[in-house]
Amino acid sequence: QVQLVESGGGLVQSGGSLRLSCAASGRTLRNYVMGWSRQAPGKEREFVAAISWSGGYISYGDSVKGRFVISRDNAENMVYLQMDSLKPEDTAVYYCAARRDYEPKFGSWGQGTQVTVSS
């Protein structure tokens, strides 16, 4: 089981930037795909980004392409989400997630960090 702890959320003005961090522990992350999802009030959880162990596979949700960048530091067991050109519709709780590379869905989740973008 992988334990995930997010940090870096907060309040930012529209057009601003934030960098989210996710610290993973419990086991090696080799062969784990790491990712981020978000959930706004009254809405379903939405896929944001994912990255493979090697970084050779990276995927983004349509709503964040060109604005967000996912990265990972395998030596430090960290995953990051750089968020630029933030919009009010990016307001949500952001969750870090992990899955083995052969699993279809994320199975481990963090507690989430709130991101609020003011207009």
Side-chain angles (χ1 to χ4, degrees):
Q1 190 72 14
V2 179
Q3 289 79 48
L4 304 169
V5 178
E6 304 93 337
S7 61
L11 174 64
V12 64
Q13 288 187 336
S14 181
S17 299
L18 278 176
R19 188 192 194 206
L20 303 184
S21 300
C22 173
S25 62
R27 61 188 306 149
T28 178
L29 293 186
R30 184 176 291 276
N31 298 327
Y32 272 79
V33 174
M34 304 298 295
W36 293 90
S37 292
R38 67 186 184 185
Q39 188 165 21
K43 295 187 177 181
E44 295 186 352
R45 191 168 292 191
E46 175 190 15
F47 169 75
V48 174
I51 184 170
S52 63
W53 166 263
S54 67
Y57 163 79
I58 293 178
S59 178
Y60 295 99
D62 288 341
S63 61
V64 306
K65 284 180 181 176
R67 299 188 298 122
F68 291 10
V69 176
I70 188 171
S71 61
R72 64 190 290 171
D73 182 338
N74 292 328
E76 298 294 329
N77 277 0
M78 296 291 295
V79 182
Y80 304 99
L81 185 68
Q82 178 66 41
M83 306 186 296
D84 297 323
S85 302
L86 283 163
K87 306 175 182 179
E89 50 263 46
D90 293 319
T91 295
V93 177
Y94 284 71
Y95 298 91
C96 182
R99 65 172 175 85
R100 291 181 177 86
D101 55 11
Y102 57 82
E103 294 175 330
K105 295 183 178 181
F106 287 112
S108 298
W109 297 89
Q111 293 300 306
T113 185
Q114 176 70 47
V115 172
T116 302
V117 184
S118 63
S119 57

